[in-house]
Amino acid sequence: MADNAFVLWLTMPLSEIAARKAEKLRLSFASPLAFHYFCTDNPNKAIDRMAMKEFVISEAQVETAVLVGLVTRTQDERKTNEYLDELAFLAETAGAVVVKRFMQKLEQAHSVTYVGKGKLDEIKQYIKDEEEDGREIGMVIFDDELSAKQIRNIEAELKVKILDRTSLILDIFAMRAQTANAKTQVELAQYKYMLPRLQRLWTHLERQGGGSGAGGGKGSVGLRGPGETQLEMDRRIILNRMSLLKERLAEIDKQKATQRKNRGRLIRVALVGYTNVGKSTLMNLLAKSEVFAENKLFATLDTTVRKVIIDNLPFLLSDTVGFIRKLPTDLVDSFKSTLDEVREADLLLHIVDISHPDFEEQIEVVNKTLADIGAAGKPMILVFNKIDAYTYVKKDDDDLTPRTKENLSLEELMKTWMAKLEDNCMFISAREKTNIEEMKTMVYQRVKELHVQKYPYNDFLYQTYDENGEL
């Protein structure tokens, strides 16, 4: 889009632009959120971004962010800090730099401003002070999903870009998506998120609204006149686009189902777990593949399937997208074809980052997500990874205070979980290759049991020979 066309577009009422041109303009962006920020952000910054081919957080190298979370009856301060730590990691993955955190104690989120007027004024003053010192705040990120009304009110007060946890995750998914399959899934999830929030994108047209009503002014009820027309046009365009994307995903589902049928009579093993626990690293180790692995959230979006042979037994191993707390429902729905690998797996390897202070809650999140997608009750091995990074606080002999989980050594933790799960857990380090052979032996035994049950004629079991070439 040329600069003069962009300036003309900004100055003209969008209702005067032909629907076909408006549709072409919106669909030229990599994601619907890109169009949103293109419209609502500073026009000068938007011009600087016109050359971008993909939407990521604008000026990711230098853009700063403020995080906001709530302390409620069901979420104490420690838990809120953990959530904000994860939100900061998400922001870092997206390319932003977190400079400040705000926490507010409320019974529940304020329906209008999420944190209440007083805390919002405090955030506004902080942003103003930073700008006066030459440090511009690029965005404010909230730890929960915000309603359209909340976003509109907060934006009007703070005058900066507002993101919530869901939009940030969607942005990272858009950045990580590589294949047409993943891009289609992410785009559909973005449109589902954006559809109920359309009205806030066209508040710049409210001065053109019809004068009906008692005041005869802005026509605030539903943004009458051109604003209402534009909303209807946008809704129609997005609904049509969503319908097309759903058709594409239906075709993708058929293709994936056909691929799974053509894989032969092999046991399917899926790596599942929280994001950034080392699934892709373990995949590379077992399958001798080169799946992209990085110490960032959602490094893997596209499911990778590899044939693995342990001793005389071949099986299929798949690396799937990681789960996370407060994972958007629309995202789970959109990634149906990807998560089918988990649903149709014969054995799940649940990878856990034992070095994370809250790994037990991460286990619960993964188990709940598995139940939500219909994959609960499958045979599972719990694999505790990153034992090389595990740390604990040793209590002094004269310390009589009760022991907490922070005081448990790795050996004590191993005994606890092994007593609870018996032979269904392993403790490894994929990076240091610790206990990998033991894990292979356990996986081999489980896969062999499943193979004999599912394929009793033993079609694919290879013969094992000794050094003399005899059985």
Side-chain angles (χ1 to χ4, degrees):
M1 185 172 60
D3 286 2
N4 57 351
F6 171 73
V7 173
L8 178 63
W9 174 75
L10 280 180
T11 56
M12 288 179 60
L14 286 181
S15 59
E16 297 179 14
I17 301 176
R20 185 175 62 180
K21 291 184 178 181
E23 179 175 0
K24 182 179 179 181
L25 174 66
R26 276 180 290 277
L27 298 184
S28 66
F29 289 85
S31 74
L33 292 177
F35 178 68
H36 160 44
Y37 294 129
F38 194 77
C39 292
T40 58
D41 207 348
N42 187 299
N44 294 326
K45 291 182 182 179
I47 292 174
D48 293 336
R49 271 184 247 131
M50 285 195 301
M52 294 180 65
K53 293 182 179 180
E54 293 185 0
F55 170 67
V56 294
I57 288 183
S58 58
E59 304 161 6
Q61 293 80 2
V62 296
E63 194 161 22
T64 54
V66 171
L67 307 183
V68 182
L70 284 184
V71 178
T72 65
R73 287 180 298 178
T74 58
Q75 182 174 299
D76 59 20
E77 189 170 339
R78 183 190 66 83
K79 187 71 64 181
T80 300
N81 270 315
E82 290 177 2
Y83 286 173
L84 289 180
D85 286 342
E86 188 171 82
L87 191 65
F89 202 179
L90 284 167
E92 178 187 336
T93 301
V97 177
V98 176
V99 295
K100 181 72 173 177
R101 297 182 179 190
F102 288 92
M103 288 194 297
Q104 173 71 327
K105 293 183 179 181
L106 288 175
E107 290 291 316
Q108 59 185 12
H110 195 278
S111 61
V112 178
T113 60
Y114 182 75
V115 291
K117 189 177 185 308
K119 181 60 69 172
L120 200 63
D121 289 341
E122 182 182 341
I123 299 172
K124 180 179 180 180
Q125 186 61 45
Y126 172 79
I127 294 173
K128 182 179 178 182
D129 293 342
E130 289 295 295
E131 290 179 348
E132 289 176 353
D133 292 337
R135 297 185 295 269
E136 184 179 356
I137 301 299
M139 68 184 81
V140 178
I141 307 174
F142 291 78
D143 189 44
D144 292 297
E145 184 170 321
L146 302 176
S147 66
K149 180 174 70 172
Q150 287 172 327
I151 298 178
R152 184 168 61 248
N153 292 330
I154 295 170
E155 275 185 345
E157 191 69 23
L158 300 184
K159 303 294 193 297
V160 296
K161 185 190 306 178
I162 303 300
L163 297 179
D164 58 16
R165 188 183 183 93
T166 299
S167 59
L168 183 60
I169 292 174
L170 289 173
D171 177 66
I172 295 172
F173 270 57
M175 181 172 60
R176 294 291 193 185
Q178 298 296 322
T179 65
N181 181 13
K183 290 179 179 179
T184 303
Q185 292 170 324
V186 172
E187 186 179 355
L188 178 59
Q190 287 177 318
Y191 278 123
K192 286 182 177 180
Y193 172 82
M194 190 179 183
L195 191 59
R197 295 166 175 82
L198 273 179
Q199 184 170 350
R200 57 185 284 267
L201 303 187
W202 302 112
T203 52
H204 63 286
L205 293 176
E206 64 183 3
R207 63 184 182 277
Q208 300 166 355
S212 61
K218 293 182 178 180
S220 58
V221 180
L223 297 179
R224 300 181 179 86
E228 184 181 25
T229 303
Q230 187 62 56
L231 286 170
E232 292 172 349
M233 186 186 302
D234 284 347
R235 189 176 296 276
R236 173 177 53 80
I237 291 170
I238 288 181
L239 288 173
N240 289 342
R241 181 66 176 170
M242 288 173 61
S243 178
L244 176 62
L245 292 172
K246 288 177 180 178
E247 290 177 5
R248 289 182 184 174
L249 286 179
E251 289 298 320
I252 291 173
D253 287 345
K254 291 180 182 178
Q255 294 171 7
K256 295 288 185 182
T258 302
Q259 290 173 4
R260 286 191 288 270
K261 288 180 181 178
N262 292 337
R263 286 173 184 166
R265 302 175 70 180
L266 294 174
I267 293 298
R268 302 169 188 174
V269 181
L271 297 173
V272 298
Y274 211 75
T275 182
N276 198 43
V277 296
K279 295 186 297 299
S280 297
T281 303
L282 190 59
M283 175 78 169
N284 292 336
L285 204 59
L286 294 175
K288 298 180 176 62
S289 59
E290 296 182 356
V291 177
F292 178 69
E294 187 181 11
N295 186 29
K296 286 191 175 180
L297 302 180
F298 302 115
T300 301
L301 275 193
D302 301 291
T303 297
T304 304
V305 182
R306 295 287 185 270
K307 185 177 180 180
V308 178
I309 300 176
I310 299 178
D311 196 6
N312 66 331
L313 182 62
F315 61 90
L316 296 177
L317 182 65
S318 59
D319 180 21
T320 59
V321 62
F323 303 138
I324 196 170
R325 284 176 289 209
K326 305 178 184 179
L327 187 66
T329 305
D330 291 339
L331 209 54
V332 175
D333 294 340
S334 298
F335 272 71
K336 176 185 179 298
S337 60
T338 299
L339 296 174
D340 277 344
E341 293 288 349
V342 178
R343 273 188 286 264
E344 298 188 14
D346 301 296
L347 174 66
L348 301 180
L349 297 184
H350 183 172
I351 315 302
V352 180
D353 178 5
I354 197 172
S355 66
H356 194 283
D358 208 22
F359 73 87
E360 291 175 329
E361 183 180 349
Q362 292 185 353
I363 293 174
E364 293 176 2
V365 170
V366 173
N367 288 336
K368 182 180 182 303
T369 307
L370 289 173
D372 291 342
I373 65 174
K378 290 183 176 292
M380 180 187 295
I381 299 176
L382 210 58
V383 181
F384 292 93
N385 190 22
K386 303 187 182 182
I387 60 174
D388 56 305
Y390 181 79
T391 58
Y392 72 101
V393 180
K394 188 175 181 180
K395 287 176 65 69
D396 296 330
D397 294 336
D398 58 350
D399 188 352
L400 301 180
T401 58
R403 298 182 71 193
T404 63
K405 62 180 182 179
E406 288 82 8
N407 304 128
L408 293 176
S409 67
L410 180 60
E411 291 72 21
E412 291 174 310
L413 208 57
M414 290 172 64
K415 289 180 181 178
T416 301
W417 281 95
M418 291 177 74
K420 185 187 299 184
L421 299 174
E422 297 180 351
D423 294 332
N424 289 318
C425 68
M426 278 293 302
F427 294 81
I428 68 165
S429 170
R431 188 177 67 177
E432 301 297 329
K433 300 182 181 179
T434 306
N435 295 336
I436 297 300
E437 291 304 317
E438 290 83 350
M439 189 196 72
K440 286 183 177 180
T441 301
M442 178 180 288
V443 173
Y444 172 82
Q445 293 296 335
R446 297 301 167 80
V447 172
K448 186 175 181 179
E449 292 172 5
L450 292 169
H451 192 102
V452 171
Q453 293 173 10
K454 194 169 183 179
Y455 309 115
Y457 296 103
N458 201 26
D459 299 60
F460 277 86
L461 284 178
Y462 301 153
Q463 298 297 323
T464 302
Y465 296 86
D466 59 20
E467 295 179 355
N468 299 321
E470 298 180 356
L471 289 174

